[in-house]
Amino acid sequence: MKKSVFSSLCAILVFFCGSFVSCGQKKNKPAETENLQVQNPELAKLNRVLSSMSERAKNVIPNGNPEEFLADLHRVLESRKNFSSEDLSPFYLIDKNHTVGADYEPKNLVHLEKNDLFAINKNNLSLRPESFEALKVLAQAAKNDGITLTVSSTYRSYEYQKNLFAYWVKIDGLEEAERESAREGTSQHQLGMALDFAPVDDAFADTVPGQWVYKNAAKYGWSLSFPHGYEDITGYRWESWHFRYIGVEACEFQKKWFGDVQQFMMEFLDAWEDKL
């Protein structure tokens, strides 16, 4: 197993001290570390943010050069310019503990019509413009490989999600509904940046489109939100069909530094912005 950066401590560079050896550099002595902190105060901030994360998140972050980590981080933050500033950040943390209000609706939602790139199995589907354009690029890439993707669910309003959650409580009971459906104000779908591919079922992972999406989605900025084995982290069981558009830079950052777990990266970005 790859040694976590959190397994060794070294003054302010607690989480990356092992990286200096792997990069062919000497470990920093305390005084040298203090000088680095003065030269780049973001290193101290990085340490504070990483320290605040869960143990499971810390354990997936690999050893690495902190300056490289920060450079990758700034590329992700810079990528926000590709998204509308009139709407929520593409990295907005929404989960069972972080919510949006009943009145939130993304601006300029684009209605999905029948088309030659991808299939739809409902008539009330819409996405934020950025994710709609990214869906077309993803679908075209799939088409080029002889695969047609089917979209089953996209933006959902607060009220829609409220009724949907109540429906699943009635069908499966509260405990099971909590594992499979979001309460109102806590669903990624309300952001207009997430979608469900069909079939909305575990079987999606074994379909040809599902296997193609798993292999290629991140190349086009789409991230699996609820991976297998992380229900204790995300709050939801594995959803092989649910992807959120976050952009290519964020997908690369997620894979390189956060074990390819979207929730860990989103929690980091939220904490980073909170500690400005």
Side-chain angles (χ1 to χ4, degrees):
M1 180 179 293
K2 190 171 185 179
K3 182 182 178 184
S4 168
V5 295
F6 294 90
S7 62
S8 42
L9 306 177
C10 182
I12 196 62
L13 301 179
V14 167
F15 305 106
F16 290 98
C17 65
S19 66
F20 291 103
V21 176
S22 64
C23 292
Q25 302 173 359
K26 295 181 179 178
K27 284 188 178 181
N28 295 89
K29 297 178 181 178
E32 294 171 338
T33 306
E34 289 177 8
N35 289 334
L36 280 174
Q37 182 183 171
V38 171
Q39 293 170 13
N40 187 356
E42 283 196 327
L43 292 174
K45 179 179 177 180
L46 178 59
N47 184 63
R48 293 196 306 273
V49 173
L50 292 175
S51 294
S52 71
M53 299 186 71
S54 70
E55 288 304 311
R56 193 166 182 192
K58 293 173 184 178
N59 287 335
V60 305
I61 300 176
N63 284 323
N65 187 312
E67 299 286 358
E68 181 182 351
F69 183 100
L70 289 172
D72 291 344
L73 168 61
H74 285 295
R75 275 192 287 274
V76 171
L77 298 178
E78 182 72 12
S79 74
R80 289 179 301 190
K81 292 182 178 179
N82 299 324
F83 298 80
S84 172
S85 60
E86 297 181 315
D87 227 319
L88 290 178
S89 165
F91 313 127
Y92 186 86
L93 178 61
I94 184 169
D95 54 27
K96 291 187 176 184
N97 298 310
H98 303 85
T99 66
V100 292
D103 60 345
Y104 178 71
E105 178 179 312
K107 296 177 176 60
N108 305 311
L109 285 167
V110 179
H111 182 67
L112 274 59
E113 306 280 356
K114 185 176 179 180
N115 63 86
D116 295 330
L117 284 179
F118 56 87
I120 56 176
N121 60 15
K122 295 179 183 175
N123 294 321
N124 60 342
L125 303 180
S126 59
L127 288 168
R128 264 180 66 168
E130 304 95 326
S131 48
F132 174 69
E133 293 301 320
L135 171 59
K136 290 195 295 183
V137 174
L138 180 72
Q140 182 61 71
K143 274 283 187 181
N144 293 344
D145 288 339
I147 294 168
T148 299
L149 303 178
T150 300
V151 179
S152 182
S153 184
T154 50
Y155 166 72
R156 299 177 192 159
S157 69
Y158 183 98
E159 191 64 25
Y160 183 101
Q161 192 67 40
K162 180 179 180 179
N163 293 332
L164 183 63
F165 182 78
Y167 168 81
W168 286 114
V169 170
K170 184 179 296 186
I171 296 297
D172 295 329
L174 179 60
E175 183 176 352
E176 191 64 20
E178 292 279 15
R179 300 181 62 214
E180 301 194 10
S181 181
R183 290 178 180 268
E184 61 274 16
T186 70
S187 172
Q188 289 188 354
H189 285 285
Q190 194 176 345
L191 302 179
M193 303 289 282
L195 57 76
D196 294 341
F197 292 107
V200 182
D201 186 276
D202 290 347
F204 176 72
D206 295 321
T207 65
V208 173
Q211 291 174 0
W212 187 93
V213 168
Y214 272 98
K215 182 179 179 180
N216 296 285
K219 300 175 186 176
Y220 304 96
W222 291 92
S223 166
L224 177 70
S225 296
F226 309 120
H228 198 280
Y230 287 89
E231 184 173 346
D232 60 320
I233 300 300
T234 66
Y236 302 101
R237 73 176 188 87
W238 177 47
E239 291 193 358
S240 63
W241 58 86
H242 180 112
F243 286 76
R244 176 176 175 177
Y245 181 64
I246 57 176
V248 174
E249 295 85 359
C251 282
E252 292 174 346
F253 189 55
Q254 171 184 307
K255 183 175 183 179
K256 182 176 179 180
W257 295 107
F258 295 94
D260 211 15
V261 178
Q262 183 191 117
Q263 183 72 20
F264 291 153
M265 183 190 68
M266 291 297 185
E267 289 175 354
F268 171 86
L269 292 173
D270 182 71
W272 180 267
E273 293 294 279
D274 190 50
K275 297 181 185 299
L276 291 174

